[in-house]
Amino acid sequence: MRRPSPLVDIVVAMSMQLGVSSGLPFETADGYATVAGQAYYLRCQRLLAYELESPSISTLQCQILCSVYLCCATFHNMADGVCATVVRTAYMLGLHLDPPSTMPPKEREMRRRLGWAVYILDSKLGMKHGRPFLISQSQFSPKLPGHALEIALQAGSSYAPLGDNLTWLSFHHEHARLFLITRAIYSTVFQPQNPYDESITLDEQEALEARATALEDNMKELEEWANSVPDALKTKRTNNTRPFSADTCALNIDPFAPLWLQRQRLLLELMYHNLCTNLYRPFISFGPATASNAIELASSKCASHASTLTNILHQVLSSNFILNGWHEAFQWQWNASMTLLGFVLAYPLAPSAADAKRSIDLSLAVLDQFGESLAVAARAAKVVRQLVANIKLVRAQDTGTMAVFGESINGNLDQCTIDHTRLTTNTGLAIQSSEVGLAENAFGSEEIATASLQATLNMAFDVDQWAIPEMFWPLHTKEFDDYIDT
């Protein structure tokens, strides 16, 4: 027996979620490995209700983990809603300000780490769904979290240092820097001063080209970050090429490095490629106008980063268990798969289209590997296979049919591009893909002419297709207590 603790409950729930997804076939978890531990999550929520008026650091930690748990369970709207509570709690606790120097160093650094964890969560969900950020950049002033050996010892860790005054906390430091730079680029390039000014929407060719040029200039700062990452946090390549580069060279994973360090290295590079993919993704356009060199270059780089992410995940999942059952890694692969499909549809004759097609085949292998323990990944692989089959069928039709196909989709894509613009510029919701979903996988060849290709591309950001909300209906008290006791 133990005292009621919402923090312990959510840690147990997340451990069950990862544990079932890492080892057991999803059939043994009633088909829903993503919501393993839901009873502990529900009890955590019930206990948290008593802390909302007087929140503590522990309250905030619970809320952060609840948002992550929901995101891994593919309840993206619920995760975003909990994130809003996280931000408000952080404001209540004053974590948006740098701690005073009179505070003990251990507590001061812990508050900085928590403040930046909230910033990363808000940035990640805001850019993912195209929704307004909840944390105001001008009112967020804590220093980057420290990661020196002395600070790591004060944090209560027994992990071995990495040399050059680097520790296990260095990952969080670099992770925060990555999101700070990416969010600044996103806001500069894609957030208009007036979101209702129709003259600056991305559906206009000139504006799209201007944004592509601006993005290329701003991406230099992200490349500088990649070059500045300490070598201890980089996974080397077999041919000694630069880590974090968008190429297909195999990784040289150090088998003697601690498991936690191998995972930190991989997650940092995978997150980098995922963010780069999302920044370049708006330039995969299905509009009738001819793409300029800047737009084609941006779309090609988008496909390159998606291909690199796919290659890394395929190698890692095929050779070791570092990322087995890692829910966010599956979501990155789903995003990359749909991005590659969109690139092949939009630019079938591009020089890099052949590489993108090979990466699509590789992504199916990755989704199948995730599908061994995640039911949602198995459904995602089925969707991708159906889309690939229908794309091949359409491409095989004669010229006359293709002309009709082109005319039929062009009429639909104007509005779709506008919607995608609002998604990307953080002024609207993600498009709901009613034609294609993971819940209902029907996508016949006769529908591809009328379905929105841009909406199909936006399936990677779909927020309500993968999960069944009834999974989180409150359980009867006796059933709940019996479940916990067993």
Side-chain angles (χ1 to χ4, degrees):
M1 301 294 291
R2 60 174 170 84
R3 291 184 301 170
S5 171
L7 186 57
V8 172
D9 282 336
I10 189 59
V11 169
V12 171
M14 293 190 68
S15 299
M16 293 176 65
Q17 186 185 58
L18 178 60
V20 173
S21 303
S22 299
L24 299 176
F26 62 81
E27 290 83 2
T28 64
D30 297 327
Y32 302 113
T34 52
V35 291
Q38 61 172 314
Y40 289 94
Y41 165 81
L42 290 171
R43 186 165 70 176
C44 171
Q45 290 295 307
R46 187 172 67 183
L47 294 173
L48 275 180
Y50 297 99
E51 302 182 10
L52 297 181
E53 180 57 32
S54 301
S56 63
I57 291 294
S58 177
T59 306
L60 179 67
Q61 291 171 326
C62 288
Q63 292 171 340
I64 292 173
L65 296 180
C66 284
S67 182
V68 175
Y69 178 86
L70 290 169
C71 187
C72 291
T74 70
F75 291 92
H76 299 297
N77 274 335
M78 294 173 64
D80 195 20
V82 174
C83 178
T85 305
V86 167
V87 172
R88 298 311 305 177
T89 302
Y91 277 127
M92 295 175 194
L93 297 174
L95 295 182
H96 60 296
L97 304 173
D98 197 54
S101 57
T102 55
M103 187 176 291
K106 178 180 178 180
E107 183 178 354
R108 187 164 64 242
E109 287 299 329
M110 180 189 66
R111 291 175 65 88
R112 284 173 179 162
R113 287 194 297 272
L114 274 175
W116 279 98
V118 175
Y119 181 90
I120 291 171
L121 182 65
D122 176 48
S123 301
K124 184 182 295 185
L125 292 177
M127 289 187 289
K128 178 178 181 180
H129 299 304
R131 297 172 182 174
F133 297 121
L134 302 174
I135 293 179
S136 172
Q137 187 69 56
S138 61
Q139 297 178 356
F140 185 79
S141 59
K143 297 179 181 178
L144 285 168
H147 58 106
L149 180 59
E150 181 182 357
I151 295 174
L153 292 174
Q154 291 176 346
S157 166
S158 59
Y159 293 121
L162 305 180
D164 296 328
N165 210 23
L166 300 173
T167 63
W168 65 282
L169 291 176
S170 300
F171 168 82
H172 187 42
H173 177 86
E174 295 300 331
H175 202 216
R177 287 184 59 217
L178 172 61
F179 272 91
L180 182 65
I181 295 171
T182 305
R183 177 164 161 170
I185 295 173
Y186 177 88
S187 300
T188 301
V189 177
F190 296 118
Q191 284 187 324
Q193 296 297 320
N194 179 8
Y196 301 102
D197 185 357
E198 294 296 333
S199 65
I200 55 176
T201 55
L202 287 181
D203 59 303
E204 296 184 6
Q205 186 71 12
E206 292 183 359
L208 186 63
E209 185 174 352
R211 294 269 172 94
T213 303
L215 178 62
E216 194 60 33
D217 293 337
N218 282 270
M219 287 298 287
K220 296 176 182 178
E221 189 173 357
L222 202 54
E223 294 175 1
E224 291 176 0
W225 169 87
N227 293 329
S228 68
V229 173
D231 291 338
L233 290 177
K234 293 179 179 179
T235 303
K236 297 180 180 179
R237 305 295 176 96
T238 55
N239 60 350
N240 293 324
T241 57
R242 181 177 62 86
F244 291 91
S245 59
D247 56 33
T248 57
C249 297
L251 301 179
N252 184 13
I253 300 175
D254 183 4
F256 301 106
L259 182 62
W260 61 267
L261 179 57
Q262 295 181 42
R263 183 176 290 120
Q264 284 187 347
R265 290 169 174 173
L266 289 171
L267 292 178
L268 194 61
E269 179 159 359
L270 288 170
M271 177 58 78
Y272 167 77
H273 289 299
N274 181 65
L275 292 174
C276 289
T277 298
N278 293 340
L279 287 174
Y280 283 120
R281 181 173 173 158
F283 303 101
I284 298 180
S285 174
F286 297 99
T290 303
S292 66
N293 292 334
I295 296 174
E296 287 186 355
L297 178 62
S299 61
S300 296
K301 288 188 175 183
C302 178
S304 296
H305 283 286
S307 296
T308 302
L309 186 146
T310 300
N311 288 327
I312 293 175
L313 281 176
H314 182 263
Q315 178 183 346
V316 172
L317 294 175
S318 302
S319 59
N320 54 60
F321 56 89
I322 300 175
L323 297 179
N324 280 13
W326 208 263
H327 295 258
E328 191 172 21
F330 154 68
Q331 294 176 11
W332 293 337
Q333 183 57 68
W334 170 245
N335 180 30
S337 299
M338 298 306 296
T339 299
L340 290 167
L341 281 169
F343 177 78
V344 171
L345 279 169
Y347 305 101
L349 302 179
S352 55
D355 292 336
K357 292 176 183 177
R358 285 191 290 269
S359 295
I360 292 173
D361 295 334
L362 201 62
S363 72
L364 284 170
V366 176
L367 292 175
D368 286 337
Q369 288 172 308
F370 278 119
E372 294 177 0
S373 57
L374 291 174
V376 65
R379 295 198 298 273
K382 184 178 179 180
V383 170
V384 173
R385 282 192 171 89
Q386 289 180 339
L387 288 172
V388 170
N390 282 282
I391 290 171
K392 291 180 178 178
L393 182 62
V394 170
R395 295 299 182 194
Q397 294 177 359
D398 58 24
T399 306
T401 305
M402 286 297 294
V404 175
F405 167 73
E407 292 175 1
S408 63
I409 63 171
N410 284 340
N412 296 325
L413 288 177
D414 291 340
Q415 184 61 40
C416 297
T417 306
I418 295 174
D419 292 339
H420 183 53
T421 298
R422 291 170 181 166
L423 166 72
T424 308
T425 55
N426 204 22
T427 59
L429 300 179
I431 299 173
Q432 302 300 306
S433 303
S434 58
E435 295 87 353
V436 187
L438 291 178
E440 298 179 2
N441 294 325
F443 193 81
S445 59
E446 69 280 358
E447 297 176 6
I448 197 169
T450 57
S452 164
L453 297 182
Q454 195 75 65
T456 300
L457 181 59
N458 287 336
M459 279 179 60
F461 291 149
D462 208 350
V463 294
D464 63 358
Q465 294 283 346
W466 299 3
I468 303 174
E470 289 80 358
M471 293 177 184
F472 279 155
W473 279 359
L475 302 176
H476 187 274
T477 303
K478 185 177 183 304
E479 294 175 346
F480 181 85
D481 293 338
D482 290 345
Y483 180 91
I484 295 295
D485 291 339
T486 57

